[in-house]
Amino acid sequence: MRREQGFTLFELLMAIAITGILISLAGPGFLQQIRQSKKTTCIIYRQNVQTAADIYIKTHNLKKNDDMPTFAEMISENLLTGEERCPSAGIYVWSDHKYRGPNVPFLVSCSIHFLEGM
Ligand SMILES: [Zn+2]
């Protein structure tokens, strides 16, 4: 008696059902993990941008009401690599585009994660 090659319909349905069950168990947790890791990366990048701005402000002796440095200016001075972008495609902006002095905190905010983690 010759055995047929390939899978039976029942075997295929079982494989699909098992795959579906595994995805339904792991999916939500997995997506949550991805969201959390993107948020953490965003926080780290924003902290890097703030540190770079701090160095830029001191190096260029920025005064009160001077414009905050742009990304391009910080990249051209090798303070940033240009990789510092929100992994969720958020846009970084200064909480205030003017430097308000050494005792006034300046924060970089993300259009998706806002000031989370700062
Ligand atoms: Zn972000």
Side-chain angles (χ1 to χ4, degrees), residues 38-39 42-43 46 86-92 110-114:
K38 283 182 175 179
K39 191 168 100 180
C42 181
I43 291 168
R46 279 183 282 140
C86 175
S88 301
I91 294 173
Y92 291 158
C110 172
S111 62
I112 290 180
H113 301 109
F114 305 102

Side-chain angles (χ1 to χ4, degrees), residues 44-53 55-56 69-85 92 94 108:
I44 291 168
Y45 282 163
R46 279 183 282 140
Q47 288 170 344
N48 288 352
V49 172
Q50 289 208 217
T51 303
I55 294 168
Y56 188 96
T70 64
F71 263 63
E73 288 167 336
M74 291 189 282
I75 290 168
S76 74
E77 302 210 359
N78 296 322
L79 295 171
L80 294 176
T81 61
E83 304 270 318
E84 296 82 357
R85 293 196 186 109
Y92 291 158
W94 291 115
V108 62

Side-chain angles (χ1 to χ4, degrees), residues 2 6-7 12 14 17 20 28 36 38-42 45 51 53 59 71 89 106 109 112:
R2 194 171 69 89
F7 299 106
L12 283 175
M14 285 304 290
Q36 183 60 43
K38 283 182 175 179
K39 191 168 100 180
T40 304
T41 305
C42 181
Y45 282 163
T51 303
T59 314
F71 263 63
F106 50 92
S109 172
I112 290 180

